Each structure stands twice: as C-alpha cells, then as structure tokens.
Amino acid sequence: MRTLLLALCGILAAAPGWAAGLHHDLTVTLDPTARRLEVEDRLRLPAGTHRLMLAPGLTVGEALLDGKSVAVRGNALPVTVPEGGGELRLRYAGTLPPLTPESRGSGGGAEGAYLPAGTGWIPTPENTETSPSWRLSVRVPAPFVAVATGRLVEEIRDGAGYTATFAEDRSVEEPSLFAGAWQVTERMHNGLRLRTYFHPEQAPLAEEYLDLSARTIDEQAARIGAYPFAGFAILSAPLPVGLGFPGLTYIGRQVMPLPFIRAQSLPHEILHNWWGNGVRVGGDGNWPGNWPGNWSEGLTTFMADYAAAEARGEDVAQAMRLDWLRDYAALPAERDSALTDFRAKVHDAAQIVGYGKAAMLFHMLRAEIGADAFDAGIRRFWEDKRFQDARWDDLRRAFEASSGRHLKAFFEQWLTRVGAPTLELAGAKADGGGVALTLRQGEPTYGLTVPVEVRTVAGTERHTIRLDGREATVTIPTAAAPRALAVDPGFGLFRRLAPGEAPPTLRDVTLDHAAATVIATADGPAAEAARALAERLADGKPRIAAAERSDPTAPLAVIGTAGEVDRLLARLGLPPVPDSLKGRGTARVWTARTPQGRPLLAVAADDAAALQALLRPLPHYGRQSWLVFEGPRAVDRGVWPAGGSPLRVSFE
C-alpha cells in the first residue's frame, strides 16, 4: 500500500458520518505533456455546511450551488447546502507539478500523468472519513491512454486521442487517475477484466503478468471470498515505485522484469484489494479493547509474501521468519514502537514493526488456534467488514468466533507493547526417558507457546511448552533416548534473538541514528559519491564525522575508496576486509563487530564511479552481511554464519 501526503491539500480527518451520499460526476481533460488538467465536477452534497479543498495550483473558474454562485477563498470552497441536499457544479483547471522520481503528489510530463487519491486533484471535503461514489470521464491526447480506479464503463479511441469512463458506486476511496503511452493487453477471466498497461519494452511480459494475476486472484478468492472489484490492471510507471490502488497496481517500469516483482510484489498488491481496499483500515481513535493501527500490511505480508515462501518449503518460510527477527534485532530500542502506532511504511524502522512483527503475529495466531480456525476467521472477517472500516479488534472478534477461544490477552500483548520477549534456556538434563528443562523469559512476561524440538536416537520429536510467567520447569517424555534439545529452532515466535542467532548485517548500522559515518577518501568526485551513498544508506540523516571524533560505542560506517578504507581500518584497529572478499568486483561491502561489540559497516570501492554505481542498489540489501558488486550489480552476497545459540544443548 502507499502513503499519500494528505497535507498537500490540507485535508484533516475528523468524525465520519456526515458525507453519506457524497457523489462526484467528473469530466476531465488531461494533457500530460503540457501538464494541463481541466475538470468539471458536478458534486452531489448532503445538507449541512462543508468546506471543500483543492490542491495548490488548481484554480476554480466557476462554482455554482444549485445554479447560484459560491465564493471561493483560495483553494477552499465553503458551502452551505440546504435541507434535502444540493448539487455543486465546479469548473477548475491548473498546471500539474513535473512528474519526477521524487513525486509524491499529482504530477505530469512527457512520460504520463499521476493523480493519486487524496492529493486534492478533486475537491475533497474536510472533516470526513467517508469515501464518495463517483463517475469519471477522461480525455487524453494521442499517444496517451488513461486509466482510473473503478469499473471501466466504456472507452473510445480515435486518431486524436483516447476517452474512457470509469465508475465506483461503493464506499472505497476517491478516484486515482493515471496516463501513459501504453500498450494495452486484456484478458477476461471469470467475468473479471484483467489488463496490463505496459510501455513497449515491457509488452512481452504482459501474458505472464496476466497469468499470475488470474492465478493469484483465484487462490485468494478461494481462501477469503469473492474478489471485490470488476477487474485488475497493472500499470508500468515512469516513477521508481510499487503502489497499490483499488483494482490496480502502479509499478516502476525498470523493475518490472525482475523476478521478485512477479514472485512477491504483484501478489502482495493483488491481496491488498481485499485488505486495505476491500476492508479499509479504521481510524485512529482508541479506547480500551479497540486498538488502532494499520493491520492490513501485516495481514497482506502474511497471506501473500509469507504464503509464497511456505509454498516453496519450510526451509524458505523459516528463512523469512529469521529475516524478520534479524531485522528486529538490528532495530535500536529508541526506534521501536507498538503495532498500534503503525500507520504506514515511512522508513525502514516502521516497516520492521508494521510488516514483519505484524506478519509474525498472524503466524503465531495460526499456530495457537490451528489452521482451520484461522482460515475460518479470515473468511468471517471478510464477510463482516467488506467495504467498511475495520480495526485490530474486529480481527480479534472474527478469530474468537472461529476458534471458540478468548484471544484478548494474545492480541493485547503483541499490539500494545513496545519490544519483544527474550528466552533463556536456564537448564536442561536428559535421561533415557525424556528431558527436564527450565525455560525463562525476561520482563515484562508474555504468554507464550514455545516450540521445542528434541532429537532422539529414533528421530526428532516436536513439542510445545506453555510459558505464562517468568519461568517454567517441565519434563518432556520422549519415545527414545534424547540426544539434543533446541528451543524455538524454527524461529516461530516473535522474540529478541539470543546472542549467536543474529550475525551482523548492514541494518545494524543503517537503522541506528547514533551511527557515525566516516568518509575515507580524498576530496573530489569519490568523496561526493561517498557522501551521497551515506545519505542513501542511512534510515534518517547520516552523522558524518572524523574517525577520531566518533563515539567509540556507537555503530560506525566507513565509506570510501579501497586503499583509504584499508588504511583507516588498520589505524583504528578495526576488522579489515575479509579474505573471501579481497580483490573481488569493483566494490566490496561487509559488516563486522569489533571486540567491544560495536557494529561496523565498510564500503570499499575501486574509484568514484564504483561508489556512484552503488547509490541505487545498495540500500536494498540491508539484510545482508557482505556483498560484492560489479558496477551496480550485486554478483555475490550473503549472511555471516550464526554463532552457537544458547537455546540449543547437546546431551552427547
């Protein structure tokens, strides 16, 4: 899902309810190259006093309420509608901002136009959480094609351009409108209109994308309920983004050929048509037992990304769980937050909580109540809340109904607390008939169902231990003589990893606002590229410092040319480039921990061009411990081996 900068048009969320019956009938003329937008909106409003907002840059030429002129104050239109409602007719126009990689609001240019919902390109009432119904007719000149959210009603192509009409009768969200010089490929599938709007270089991918869309929709509909929209469209975007909207996704043209887009990103965005678009995330109001926060990203991650990993095998699913826990291990305590505080991915720290921790919550819930009850709860939640707002508490009630269990304590501990439990194997002793062990957790205590594996002479046995307080001592009988014991070896619990389970990764440094960055190269193009890379890597503003002035206890990043990096690390007594990376590629990246436990990230490139080549790719490899690059391409990468886990013991 996307984050929309609602501040662009000054929209303030407040109490819902007054806008029932709000309806737009929009006629749009859009010239992307000229960045020109002209709109006529016949807006049906209910009785009451309203204040409509338009984005800066749009000018109202005419405003008539039931045929009478309405005063316009800048980009605000105060309107008082008499009993029985009324129709406000607006004509407005303006020049869109340029469409650039940094675009967050509406924009246009030679490559197309981008007008997402919530950015004020249509008049938006203040003080409402209720979405309007709408009908939108749009005209664009050749060679452009336009597409909007909503159901395609009709389209006409002629020599001069393209006209299409879209409509949405349900409470979903305002329309989003896009234009591009696209080739359109269509397939009807079980009554759904599936389309790709691709640039010519992506056109050969169209059939594969349509195949995957049809398959994903069928799979999720069988698990959840009928797909909620009239179709699904995939748009090739000039922007480096991956965004989901009701009934369509907008994906950067450069990444569309990459396998992970089809394997992970596309199924994720399709599932958002149920979670986030079909059932909306509720408001921020909070009271006991009704928790705010964005639940849709975690549920979508669990049912799309994680489900795909499970389909490939338990080892792949376990690796994904371990990635989430390693991400969390790298998160500084001061950047941690409760799930009830998560709204959207505004930085990596928010993603670690709102996606990874939330997905782990659903993984643990399924283990707690069983797969059948979990799936029944998902279907019940969809049936009860489709095209409505929902909160975490609505999910809890659905799963309680499907499982017949009280789950308030389970949800409350994972949603409202900041942090994660820690586990300690305080003692373990084996005899021929079983294992006696003492399991301990830190404060505050959680209610945990802890997986335990016992390897015996006859094979591996799997058990669970209930840990509700500070400590539990139990005896596990085994069918054969035990040889080894492991506590949560598959990383099935959201917890803070024990020492030895979390090898250093790039995120140990990039997530920490206290980290210092040292530029290890002489002034000039290499130094400029190193500073730009520091800006890209840091999940915030990097702290550039001289090596001697950096906090000796804080994480440290060293970025520069190879010889200078080597000399600086040697002078400071820090770990050098590993032998396995020496002389490889045009740039080497590695992590380590100093003898004092200080996280270290080093980037050593051959020259300024090699540093410059890392600007786009390297920030996407935060989970890695080391990488080798040839120009912008990572030709080798990996995670350092974990040390011995204190949650494992051998009896041999």
Side-chain angles (χ1 to χ4, degrees), residues 580-612:
S580 60
L581 304 184
K582 284 182 178 178
R584 299 178 61 192
T586 58
R588 281 71 55 200
V589 181
W590 70 94
T591 60
R593 289 200 179 100
T594 68
Q596 296 77 30
R598 181 186 195 185
L600 170 69
L601 164 61
V603 181
D606 288 351
D607 50 31
L611 281 168
Q612 186 75 26

Side-chain angles (χ1 to χ4, degrees), residues 423-428 436-441 471-473 487 646-647:
L423 292 179
E424 176 189 355
L425 184 57
L437 71 148
T438 298
L439 196 58
R440 188 177 296 155
Q441 65 170 312
E471 184 177 290
T473 298
V487 175
L647 298 179

Side-chain angles (χ1 to χ4, degrees), residues 69 78 111 226 239 252 259 314 317 361 369 372 374 394 469 495 607 630:
S69 181
E111 289 207 83
L239 303 178
E314 171 54 24
L361 179 152
I369 67 175
D372 290 344
F374 184 90
D394 296 303
R495 58 183 175 87
D607 50 31
E630 287 283 0

Side-chain angles (χ1 to χ4, degrees), residues 44-59:
R44 187 182 68 224
L45 291 164
T49 299
H50 314 303
R51 191 165 181 262
L52 305 175
M53 304 297 296
L54 279 173
L58 297 177
T59 301

Side-chain angles (χ1 to χ4, degrees), residues 522-534:
D523 285 339
E528 292 177 8
R531 291 189 183 94
L533 184 57

Side-chain angles (χ1 to χ4, degrees), residues 497-584:
L497 291 174
E501 292 184 303
T505 65
L506 274 65
R507 280 184 167 172
D508 288 333
V509 177
T510 61
L511 284 172
D512 199 324
H513 286 171
T517 299
V518 176
I519 304 302
T521 186
D523 285 339
E528 292 177 8
R531 291 189 183 94
L533 184 57
E535 293 274 355
R536 289 275 294 142
L537 286 175
D539 195 38
K541 184 73 174 174
R543 298 174 66 246
I544 308 294
E548 293 75 9
R549 296 182 180 179
S550 65
D551 181 349
T553 65
L556 177 67
V558 177
I559 304 174
T561 49
E564 293 295 331
V565 170
D566 290 345
R567 284 187 283 275
L568 177 65
L569 295 178
R571 179 161 58 86
L572 298 178
L574 297 173
V577 56
D579 290 342
S580 60
L581 304 184
K582 284 182 178 178
R584 299 178 61 192

Side-chain angles (χ1 to χ4, degrees), residues 149-520:
T149 51
R151 171 175 50 88
L152 176 62
V153 177
E154 61 180 359
E155 60 183 347
I156 301 171
R157 291 179 175 85
D158 56 42
Y162 174 87
T163 303
T165 300
F166 302 85
E168 179 56 74
D169 301 323
R170 301 163 303 187
S171 179
V172 180
E173 66 174 32
E174 295 176 354
S176 295
L177 176 62
F178 313 86
W182 293 311
Q183 295 180 16
V184 181
T185 304
E186 178 178 295
R187 179 187 304 175
M188 297 303 295
H189 176 73
N190 295 335
L192 301 177
R193 187 189 304 274
L194 308 182
R195 279 189 168 188
T196 59
Y197 292 80
F198 283 0
H199 290 95
E201 66 268 28
Q202 278 84 45
L205 300 171
E207 293 300 330
E208 184 178 357
Y209 268 89
L210 292 173
D211 286 343
L212 179 57
S213 298
R215 185 164 63 251
T216 302
I217 288 171
D218 289 348
E219 290 170 353
Q220 297 296 355
R223 187 174 184 187
I224 302 168
Y227 180 75
F229 297 102
F232 184 72
I234 306 156
L235 282 57
S236 172
L239 303 178
V241 296
L243 303 173
F245 298 83
L248 64 83
T249 185
Y250 189 66
I251 301 175
R253 64 194 296 181
Q254 292 183 333
V255 300
M256 293 194 94
L258 300 180
F260 84 90
I261 295 294
R262 300 190 290 280
Q264 186 167 324
S265 300
L266 182 63
H268 184 102
E269 297 304 339
I270 289 173
L271 189 55
H272 268 310
N273 286 287
W274 282 271
W275 311 135
N277 294 324
V279 180
R280 299 184 300 268
V281 175
D284 288 346
N286 188 18
W287 55 91
N290 198 322
W291 306 292
N294 182 345
W295 50 267
S296 75
E297 291 297 356
L299 184 55
T300 300
T301 299
F302 177 72
M303 293 186 67
D305 308 51
Y306 183 69
E310 284 189 309
R312 294 168 60 192
E314 171 54 24
D315 57 336
V316 181
Q318 179 177 315
M320 183 171 283
R321 298 193 297 268
L322 180 56
D323 277 344
W324 292 334
L325 296 183
R326 283 175 174 162
D327 287 346
Y328 185 74
L331 185 66
E334 65 273 13
R335 302 200 68 196
D336 199 358
S337 60
L339 268 170
T340 50
D341 293 329
F342 172 70
R343 299 297 180 271
K345 179 195 171 184
V346 293
H347 43 57
D348 284 348
Q351 182 179 21
I352 288 169
V353 174
Y355 289 62
K357 181 178 181 178
M360 283 292 290
L361 179 152
F362 290 109
H363 171 75
M364 293 184 292
L365 176 63
R366 186 179 62 179
E368 192 76 21
I369 67 175
D372 290 344
F374 184 90
D375 287 346
I378 287 293
R379 290 190 294 272
R380 186 183 188 98
F381 178 61
W382 172 245
E383 291 167 2
D384 290 348
K385 303 304 294 185
R386 55 187 169 183
F387 297 111
Q388 301 176 51
D389 290 347
R391 301 170 184 253
W392 281 104
D393 195 56
D394 296 303
L395 277 161
R396 174 187 66 83
R397 282 193 288 266
F399 288 119
E400 284 184 336
S402 67
S403 66
R405 293 181 53 179
H406 294 292
L407 296 171
K408 183 177 180 180
F410 174 91
F411 275 90
E412 191 162 35
Q413 68 181 4
W414 296 115
L415 293 178
T416 65
R417 294 184 186 179
V418 178
T422 58
L423 292 179
E424 176 189 355
L425 184 57
K429 183 178 180 181
D431 58 33
V435 178
L437 71 148
T438 298
L439 196 58
R440 188 177 296 155
Q441 65 170 312
E443 297 285 355
T445 61
Y446 286 69
L448 302 173
T449 301
V450 184
V452 175
E453 288 188 0
V454 182
R455 180 170 58 82
T456 75
V457 295
T460 299
E461 296 183 9
R462 292 173 175 82
H463 303 269
T464 59
I465 295 173
R466 187 64 193 175
L467 182 61
D468 286 305
R470 181 79 170 84
E471 184 177 290
T473 298
V474 298
T475 298
I476 299 175
T478 57
R483 291 289 181 261
L485 173 80
V487 175
D488 191 27
F491 307 102
L493 294 177
F494 186 79
R495 58 183 175 87
R496 193 165 292 282
L497 291 174
E501 292 184 303
T505 65
L506 274 65
R507 280 184 167 172
D508 288 333
V509 177
T510 61
L511 284 172
D512 199 324
H513 286 171
T517 299
V518 176
I519 304 302

